[in-house]
Amino acid sequence: RKEVEQDPGPFNVPEGATVAFNCTYSNSASQSFFWYRQDCRKEPKLLMSVYSSGNEDGRFTAQLNRASQYISLLIRDSKLSDSATYLCVVIPLTGGGNKLTFGTGTQLKVEL
Amino acid sequence: GAVVSQHPSRVICKSGTSVKIECRSLDFQATTMFWYRQFPKQSLMLMATSNEGSKATYEQGVEKDKFLINHASLTLSTLTVTSAHPEDSSFYICSARGQEPNYGYTFGSGTRLTVV
């Protein structure tokens, strides 16, 4: 089983739609969780951290479910500019020095 | 904010030659540098972790003699792909982690390597 799993998509949604992505992780002792955004042929950029209590940043809401070992990202009122690949990132609680473990990413395409 | 400059952004080389990729932290001291590789439609895979002044720690399956990492200063880390082959063609990205308060991970802009 992969450490971090995501549905690769693509998710094709109309502008203004609400879309949600899930990500599951295998290491129950994982300590930190993030969503990154990656545009084609570019480096990943931090979208938001994910906290146990859930957190919101504008149109984006992230939630963590430790019992079921998944995190989610909800995008409301999606814009054309939201089209990108969204990477779920986990820091496992190992002796590995805070290495980021990436999922394969979920591709989002927002269309007119 | 923290910036990591990665060069070159794109390189094409002949099979059997070596390629050096540089990552510089411009406004913070990168105590730890991570090197990733990303093949098309796949996730970023960690290749190695390096701390300034010490030998890099390589992930399982990554040949340390082929991918030479040098982290000689707190602002510069290099990855050299030696005797490159077409299967080494990939997107290579560095990520720097600084000291407090720059505990975040800052990515370089990536290097697209094509070996012909």
Side-chain angles (χ1 to χ4, degrees):
Chain A
R1 183 184 174 187
K2 291 181 181 177
E3 287 189 74
V4 181
E5 294 202 65
Q6 295 181 252
D7 180 344
F11 284 58
N12 298 310
V13 303
E15 200 174 16
T18 295
V19 61
F21 310 134
N22 281 341
C23 162
T24 58
Y25 58 94
S26 61
N27 187 338
S28 60
S30 296
Q31 58 175 335
S32 300
F33 309 88
F34 309 91
W35 283 102
Y36 275 73
R37 170 193 169 129
Q38 186 176 26
D39 292 289
C40 188
R41 296 174 177 264
K42 301 280 188 182
E43 76 277 19
K45 294 187 177 177
L46 178 64
L47 180 64
M48 58 198 304
S49 302
V50 186
Y51 303 119
S52 297
S53 56
N55 48 301
E56 188 174 307
D57 182 2
R59 298 182 293 110
F60 300 85
T61 301
Q63 292 194 311
L64 167 64
N65 185 317
R66 284 193 182 272
S68 300
Q69 293 180 212
Y70 78 82
I71 68 173
S72 64
L73 177 67
L74 181 78
I75 305 176
R76 290 180 298 279
D77 187 24
S78 52
K79 312 289 185 191
L80 294 175
S81 56
D82 293 334
S83 297
T85 296
Y86 290 83
L87 303 169
C88 172
V89 182
V90 173
I91 296 181
L93 187 62
T94 64
N98 298 311
K99 297 183 289 189
L100 299 178
T101 301
F102 287 82
T104 52
T106 298
Q107 189 179 10
L108 171 65
K109 295 182 181 179
V110 181
E111 303 163 330
L112 286 172
Chain B
V3 176
V4 171
S5 174
Q6 182 171 348
H7 292 282
S9 58
R10 189 172 298 181
V11 59
I12 301 173
C13 71
K14 290 186 177 180
S15 189
T17 61
S18 296
V19 173
K20 180 185 282 189
I21 301 169
E22 285 190 358
C23 276
R24 292 180 185 272
S25 56
L26 299 186
D27 48 5
F28 69 102
Q29 294 184 326
T31 52
T32 304
M33 192 72 79
F34 303 92
W35 286 94
Y36 295 86
R37 178 167 55 181
Q38 185 178 32
F39 292 107
K41 299 189 184 299
Q42 294 187 24
S43 62
L44 277 74
M45 297 301 296
L46 181 65
M47 299 174 68
T49 303
S50 73
N51 292 296
E52 182 265 337
S54 59
K55 288 185 179 180
T57 301
Y58 290 80
E59 295 299 301
Q60 193 172 14
V62 178
E63 299 174 59
K64 63 182 170 114
D65 294 329
K66 181 172 180 62
F67 299 99
L68 302 179
I69 291 172
N70 185 289
H71 193 165
S73 78
L74 284 171
T75 58
L76 174 64
S77 178
T78 61
L79 167 67
T80 301
V81 183
T82 63
S83 187
H85 292 285
E87 58 265 31
D88 298 323
S89 299
S90 186
F91 190 50
Y92 292 86
I93 310 178
C94 64
S95 175
R97 191 163 189 260
Q99 301 165 322
E100 186 174 3
N102 296 109
Y103 272 151
Y105 299 83
T106 304
F107 284 83
S109 53
T111 297
R112 189 159 300 281
L113 170 64
T114 303
V115 185
V116 299

